[in-house]
Amino acid sequence: MILRLFMTVALFSTASAAEKPLAPFLRAYCLKCHGEQKQKGDRRFDHIAGPETYQEILDVLNLAEMPPEDEKQPSTKQLKQVVAWLTSTLRKAREAARENVGKVVLRRLNRSEYLNTTRDLFEFKMIDFDPTTTFPPDDSVDGFNNNGEGLVTSDHLLRNYLAAARKIADKAIRPGPRPERIHYRAEGQEISGHSRGLRPEIARMTIKDRQPLGLRTLDKRKIPADGEYLIRFKALAYNRKSRYKDEDLRYNSDEPMRLSISIDSRELGATAHRIIGEYEIPDEKIIEIEHRTWLDRGFTFHLHWANGPNGSFKRIMRKVLPKYTKDAIYPLRNPPEMYIGSGPELHVYSLEIEGPFYDQWPLPGFARYFPNPPRRPDAAYLDASLTRLAQRAFRRPVTNAGLEPYLKLARQHLTDTKDFWKAANYGVRSLLVSPSFLYNPESGTGSCNPHELASRLSYFLWSSMPDDELRTHADDGSLLRPPELQRQVTRMLGDPKAKSFVSNFTDQWLGLRKLGEMPPDPEKNPSYYADNLESAMKEETRRFFAHLLAGNGSLLDFIDSDYTFANDALARH
């Protein structure tokens, strides 16, 4: 927003001296359809409001989209003159707008940095927990969304910060005993969602994805507490090669049958649905599979036939079965028993879930800030706990005077409610909406102090907060020494968290986030979806960049290389 304002001012200051080439051109060829009387496509060019309009006019002229073919056309000389003037004016405006480049500006955490920071601050398993889903998108400047000039704050974002802080505090503050373990199990047709059949010991799936198998008890009660859970099932691939042709079933019988596990949350809706595992199931042999995963409270899970016949079971009964069975009547409804057992099926014999399991309790993100809580914790313990949290959350040295407003809020809440853990929750929320948490430390002096350098390094390479080692070297000042700085950069690039740099940088630099915004026609390009090519293409680019980064490779490889990274599906294309 700030850059746009600078560009607008600069644009009109540079445009005023040379308005003549554009104004008569617009009057002659554009204002008939985009003027005071008429605004086709909601475009009006008699009063140009800002740089976007100039850029839009330049784009349509370069693409020869305007004026329309059935309207009066400008000469080639006129077009060249106007295009040259627009190009020059926009260039000068951008140069003028960037006069403040290099100046230190307050930079808040963008959405991905906020998410990663809360993950590392509380050592969360962020598999299905995302408090930023309702955050507005971050504005990009020059293609990147971590530029301070674009990271403005609005009242809508502030309201979302308050809501996110509540969710994070509720997840982090987990006192008391370890949650009780659940163990739900079902066999055969006790499993919900199966197709009917004559064998009660089998829950069968006959089509792709649309027959999710689950546990009725879990579907009703949901996962009771965040934690690691064990999902176990027994399955068999039945009749993979059948009398039905693959093209009729919309199915590839040459592939081994694959069973996938999905998770869902009714509270979070469709955004929470995702596949957490996929397994090949052998032909005519029962196999037992165990899958461990972290699940958040309120979720449930289901099994699917990942590569079964595409379409509905009704389509098979009405359009496929009559081709192979004399007694089947088209297009009337035929009983399922006419098809069950004759086509390919994925059989599940048992299904169960057990958990939650924990490596330690209390969880590390709680125990770090609230260690060994006394039976009756008091205000002094509350102050000490919130101070420990603030020292890491603020990513800079904290003072008693700076913390006192937050501690005072929490102590007052303790006095009002007489409930320590509600007061602790309230205190954590207040720290998470503090400017010291939401904004990175910047003194504005022109040179970095050790803690500012630590934050710049960590958010550049990890998109997250400094870890304990980086913070230690910032505390003693050694991070400012070139040998130590180089050692820390090398260490950080070798850390798994550096994947954030690879994905964020390539997604924005090369525009990978836009891949998939205009997907191909599913009917004409089914393999794009069946082989998940969108994900594979993104992964190819990220792995290529990560390879060059790890090996300090040549930049020329970006232009011309004799290698790449592709899975089988992408390689076939």
Side-chain angles (χ1 to χ4, degrees):
M1 185 63 71
I2 295 173
L3 181 62
R4 182 183 181 277
L5 177 61
F6 283 139
M7 279 197 65
T8 302
V9 174
L11 182 63
F12 283 109
S13 64
T14 56
S16 59
E19 194 70 40
K20 293 180 181 178
L22 183 63
F25 183 91
L26 294 176
R27 284 193 295 269
Y29 304 106
C30 304
L31 298 189
K32 176 183 176 182
C33 299
H34 304 285
E36 182 179 2
Q37 303 300 323
K38 184 188 298 185
Q39 296 91 38
K40 282 190 175 181
D42 292 327
R43 298 295 187 270
R44 182 173 178 175
F45 296 151
D46 56 333
H47 295 292
I48 297 178
E52 292 91 344
T53 307
Y54 278 84
Q55 185 65 57
E56 186 175 14
I57 294 172
L58 178 61
D59 290 343
V60 297
L61 291 178
N62 280 328
L63 294 171
E65 293 180 350
M66 292 290 172
E69 293 181 359
D70 56 351
E71 295 289 343
K72 180 182 176 182
Q73 299 294 313
S75 66
T76 302
K77 182 179 178 180
Q78 287 176 301
L79 272 176
K80 286 184 177 180
Q81 185 182 21
V82 172
V83 167
W85 180 84
L86 283 169
T87 303
S88 174
T89 301
L90 285 166
R91 185 186 70 252
K92 291 176 182 177
R94 291 191 184 97
E95 290 171 355
R98 281 166 174 73
E99 288 181 356
N100 67 326
V101 169
K103 297 179 182 178
V104 176
V105 296
L106 282 175
R107 194 181 77 79
R108 67 165 173 81
L109 304 181
N110 65 23
R111 181 172 170 174
S112 62
E113 290 169 345
Y114 182 99
L115 188 65
N116 293 339
T117 300
T118 55
R119 175 200 67 197
D120 295 340
L121 182 62
F122 295 104
E123 300 181 50
F124 283 155
K125 304 282 187 179
M126 302 294 277
I127 299 171
D128 295 295
F129 176 67
D130 184 356
T132 71
T133 51
T134 59
F135 283 20
D138 297 309
D139 290 335
S140 294
V141 176
D142 293 332
F144 291 89
N145 66 3
N146 60 349
N147 191 316
E149 292 179 342
L151 292 170
V152 296
T153 302
S154 64
D155 59 340
H156 175 61
L157 180 59
L158 289 175
R159 286 195 295 270
N160 277 276
Y161 280 147
L162 291 169
R166 183 185 297 275
K167 295 175 184 176
I168 294 166
D170 289 346
K171 188 176 179 68
I173 305 298
R174 297 183 65 183
R178 184 188 299 255
E180 291 185 9
R181 227 173 255 179
I182 62 166
H183 187 189
Y184 302 144
R185 176 183 170 86
E187 296 184 354
Q189 295 187 13
E190 296 174 351
I191 299 171
S192 67
H194 64 88
S195 291
R196 289 182 296 172
L198 299 177
R199 297 174 59 187
E201 74 275 15
I202 295 173
R204 65 185 79 225
M205 291 180 279
T206 56
I207 58 173
K208 176 182 178 180
D209 290 336
R210 298 190 185 185
Q211 294 171 320
L213 303 184
L215 295 166
R216 290 185 176 89
T217 305
L218 184 66
D219 287 342
K220 182 179 180 180
R221 299 180 181 176
K222 309 295 188 280
I223 291 295
D226 299 356
E228 185 180 56
Y229 288 81
L230 172 65
I231 297 171
R232 183 186 294 115
F233 58 88
K234 292 181 180 180
L236 172 147
Y238 174 77
N239 212 16
R240 179 165 60 90
K241 297 281 189 179
S242 68
R243 63 180 179 137
Y244 301 98
K245 293 181 180 180
D246 285 3
E247 54 265 31
D248 289 332
L249 291 177
R250 300 176 184 172
Y251 163 73
N252 185 357
S253 62
D254 294 329
E255 291 184 350
M257 293 187 186
R258 299 197 306 273
L259 184 149
S260 63
I261 308 171
S262 73
I263 58 172
D264 302 90
S265 168
R266 178 175 294 179
E267 179 182 353
L268 298 177
T271 57
H273 175 84
R274 68 183 184 88
I275 302 298
I276 61 171
E278 189 168 293
Y279 297 91
E280 287 189 2
I281 307 301
D283 294 344
E284 313 300 335
K285 178 183 177 182
I286 298 176
I287 183 174
E288 182 175 88
I289 292 175
E290 293 185 348
H291 182 91
R292 283 184 173 266
T293 188
W294 186 275
L295 294 175
D296 283 348
R297 184 173 62 88
F299 273 73
T300 186
F301 81 96
H302 294 90
L303 305 183
H304 307 262
W305 188 358
N307 60 340
N310 210 347
S312 67
F313 186 71
K314 183 187 293 185
R315 188 194 72 84
I316 293 176
M317 297 304 299
R318 294 189 178 184
K319 295 186 177 181
V320 178
L321 188 64
K323 292 183 179 181
Y324 298 85
T325 305
K326 294 180 181 179
D327 296 333
I329 303 173
Y330 175 84
L332 300 180
R333 175 178 294 180
N334 297 298
E337 289 76 13
M338 295 183 71
Y339 176 79
I340 295 296
S342 64
E345 298 175 355
L346 192 51
H347 292 177
V348 176
Y349 290 81
S350 65
L351 178 60
E352 59 188 300
I353 185 170
E354 186 177 2
F357 301 97
Y358 302 99
D359 294 331
Q360 70 175 77
W361 187 268
L363 294 175
F366 174 82
R368 180 168 195 154
Y369 308 115
F370 298 89
N372 303 314
R375 292 185 60 185
R376 300 183 66 180
D378 55 13
Y381 182 77
L382 179 62
D383 284 358
S385 298
L386 294 179
T387 299
R388 278 188 288 268
L389 174 60
Q391 286 171 342
R392 294 192 75 229
F394 289 177
R395 309 179 294 282
R396 70 202 83 185
V398 297
T399 63
N400 292 336
L403 277 182
E404 182 57 27
Y406 306 100
L407 302 181
K408 185 177 180 180
L409 275 174
R411 288 196 297 265
Q412 185 62 49
H413 204 72
L414 177 59
T415 301
D416 294 342
T417 65
K418 303 296 189 295
D419 187 318
F420 178 87
W421 294 114
K422 283 185 178 180
N425 185 295
Y426 195 76
V428 170
R429 285 154 50 193
S430 70
L431 295 176
L432 293 179
V433 294
S434 165
S436 295
F437 174 73
L438 299 174
Y439 285 82
N440 273 323
E442 292 290 355
S443 61
T445 60
S447 60
C448 285
N449 65 42
H451 293 94
E452 292 170 357
L453 179 57
S455 282
R456 290 190 182 191
L457 270 181
S458 64
Y459 282 100
F460 177 57
L461 297 178
W462 289 345
S463 295
S464 186
M465 62 184 290
D467 64 357
D468 289 341
E469 180 173 342
L470 193 60
R471 175 67 187 267
T472 298
H473 289 288
D475 288 341
D476 63 21
S478 61
L479 188 61
L480 294 178
R481 295 197 290 267
E484 184 58 41
L485 177 60
Q486 183 174 354
R487 193 183 75 81
Q488 288 300 316
V489 169
T490 301
R491 177 185 72 87
M492 294 171 73
L493 284 173
D495 191 281
K497 286 188 287 189
K499 290 180 180 178
S500 294
F501 170 71
V502 172
S503 59
N504 287 334
F505 184 76
T506 54
D507 284 6
Q508 296 180 78
W509 175 43
L510 301 174
L512 292 185
R513 290 178 178 174
K514 296 182 179 180
L515 184 63
E517 288 184 355
M518 299 180 67
D521 186 337
E523 294 294 329
K524 296 180 179 179
N525 301 275
S527 61
Y528 179 86
Y529 301 92
D531 294 332
N532 198 13
L533 292 184
E534 179 183 320
S535 176
M537 287 188 285
K538 290 180 179 180
E539 187 64 21
E540 175 190 21
T541 306
R542 291 168 183 160
R543 293 199 179 200
F544 187 90
F545 178 83
H547 171 75
L548 289 180
L549 181 66
N552 195 22
S554 171
L555 289 175
L556 295 177
D557 281 9
F558 284 113
I559 302 171
D560 184 19
S561 64
D562 59 359
Y563 63 92
T564 189
F565 296 81
N567 60 13
D568 291 341
L570 187 59
R572 289 197 300 269
H573 292 79

